[in-house]
């Protein structure tokens, strides 16, 4: 999937839970919570018992949903994909793998995929909020001044002036990463700690300063 200017969301960070691996989120199919499959698999369930992994999972999911798995990007990807598949191959594949279930319909032009994807980001957020008992969403702006970038729980942000929605009460683990010979010079709130946790009790604006 085209990920826009941010490139690989895992580049430069420790997170290995990208668009295809976040506990069944792959392709925006859902978080596998509630009616979406009965919950996460055994391995993910075990990992989520670790508070640090749980925080990472939730925050990385927020970034993916806000920046990489948006409907506009899914829409463009589906259109590009369908444009590359000859109609003869579509017809051949429909005959080879027929779908006769009463609750399943497949349109060769990709319209069913687009319809399915239209509200998936919000649906996944609602499932996450319910499963983890999360509080309300808050807007967070994370920016940089000088040559450097910021990761949130190991995931590199897609821009140097990032604005996204996270959950109140779920801390962010921020790390300032200097580049091109720069030196980290602290955060806009006066903290020099790096990495550091940012508590979310409401909307936040934070800048990593480099010199």
């Amino acid at each position: 999937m085209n990920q826009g200017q941010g490139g690989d969301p895992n580049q430069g960070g420790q997170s290995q839970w990208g668009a295809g691996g976040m506990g069944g989120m792959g392709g925006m199919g859902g978080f596998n919570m509630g009616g979406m499959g009965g919950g996460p698999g055994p391995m993910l369930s075990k990992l989520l018992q670790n508070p640090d992994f749980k925080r990472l999972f939730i925050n990385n999911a927020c970034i993916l949903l806000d920046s990489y798995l948006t409907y506009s990007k899914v829409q463009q990807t589906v259109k590009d994909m369908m444009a590359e598949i000859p109609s003869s191959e579509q017809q051949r594949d429909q005959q080879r793998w027929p779908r006769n279930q009463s609750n399943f319909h497949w349109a060769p032009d990709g319209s069913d995929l687009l319809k399915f994807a239209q509200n998936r980001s919000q649906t996944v957020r609602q499932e996450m909020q319910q499963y983890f008992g999360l509080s309300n969403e808050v807007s967070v702006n994370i920016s940089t001044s000088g040559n450097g970038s910021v990761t949130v729980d190991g995931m590199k942000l897609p821009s140097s002036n990032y604005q996204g929605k996270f959950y109140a009460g779920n801390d962010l683990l921020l790390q300032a990463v200097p580049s091109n010979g720069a030196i980290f010079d602290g955060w806009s709130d006066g903290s020099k700690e790096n990495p550091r946790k940012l508590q979310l009790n409401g909307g936040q604006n934070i800048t990593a300063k480099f010199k």
Side-chain angles (χ1 to χ4, degrees), residues 3 14 23 31 36 40 43 47 49 64 73 80 83 87 110 114 132 156 159 178 203 211:
Q3 294 171 336
Q14 296 89 3
F31 187 56
M36 298 299 298
M43 180 180 292
L47 288 168
Q49 293 176 17
L64 286 168
K73 291 187 176 181
D80 292 344
S87 58
L114 294 176
F132 290 114
K156 185 176 180 179
S159 72
K211 65 179 182 179

Side-chain angles (χ1 to χ4, degrees), residues 143-203:
S143 58
T144 60
S145 174
N147 293 323
S149 59
V150 176
T151 64
V152 174
D153 285 278
M155 179 174 284
K156 185 176 180 179
L157 295 175
S159 72
S160 59
N161 187 19
Y162 179 79
Q163 185 168 1
K165 291 183 178 180
F166 296 90
Y167 292 98
N170 193 59
D171 296 348
L172 304 182
L173 181 63
L174 305 181
Q175 183 166 6
V177 183
S179 60
N180 298 325
I183 299 173
F184 175 62
D185 194 35
W187 302 93
S188 56
D189 62 357
S191 173
K192 297 288 186 179
E193 190 177 4
N194 190 38
R196 54 87 57 92
K197 285 184 179 179
L198 180 68
Q199 293 183 340
L200 295 185
N201 299 316

Side-chain angles (χ1 to χ4, degrees), residues 31-201:
F31 187 56
N32 282 351
M33 300 302 170
M36 298 299 298
M43 180 180 292
L44 181 57
S45 296
K46 190 70 174 178
L47 288 168
L48 288 171
Q49 293 176 17
N50 181 298
D52 290 331
F53 181 85
K54 177 182 174 182
R55 185 198 65 243
L56 175 152
F57 184 94
I58 294 169
N59 290 334
N60 281 194
C62 289
I63 297 170
L64 286 168
L65 292 169
D66 280 341
S67 301
Y68 298 104
L69 297 178
T70 63
Y71 177 65
S72 61
K73 291 187 176 181
V74 172
Q75 185 179 43
Q76 188 59 53
T77 298
V78 170
K79 289 181 177 179
D80 292 344
M81 178 181 68
M82 300 309 297
E84 295 176 358
I85 303 175
S87 58
S88 59
E89 291 188 11
Q90 295 179 28
Q91 295 171 3
R92 178 202 65 192
D93 291 345
Q94 280 185 291
Q95 294 174 358
R96 183 177 296 176
W97 295 292
R99 299 287 186 174
N100 298 319
Q101 299 96 324
S102 60
N103 63 343
F104 185 93
H105 181 260
W106 166 256
D109 63 358
S111 58
D112 288 324
L113 282 174
L114 294 176
K115 186 184 300 182
F116 175 78
Q118 191 165 12
N119 298 313
R120 293 313 301 166
S121 291
Q122 188 57 37
T123 299
V124 173
R125 277 188 171 275
Q126 291 171 353
E127 291 176 349
M128 284 176 52
Q129 193 167 12
Q130 180 180 8
Y131 182 80
F132 290 114
L134 298 169
S135 299
N136 57 299
E137 294 179 347
V138 294
S139 294
V140 179
N141 185 274
I142 304 170
S143 58
T144 60
S145 174
N147 293 323
S149 59
V150 176
T151 64
V152 174
D153 285 278
M155 179 174 284
K156 185 176 180 179
L157 295 175
S159 72
S160 59
N161 187 19
Y162 179 79
Q163 185 168 1
K165 291 183 178 180
F166 296 90
Y167 292 98
N170 193 59
D171 296 348
L172 304 182
L173 181 63
L174 305 181
Q175 183 166 6
V177 183
S179 60
N180 298 325
I183 299 173
F184 175 62
D185 194 35
W187 302 93
S188 56
D189 62 357
S191 173
K192 297 288 186 179
E193 190 177 4
N194 190 38
R196 54 87 57 92
K197 285 184 179 179
L198 180 68
Q199 293 183 340
L200 295 185
N201 299 316

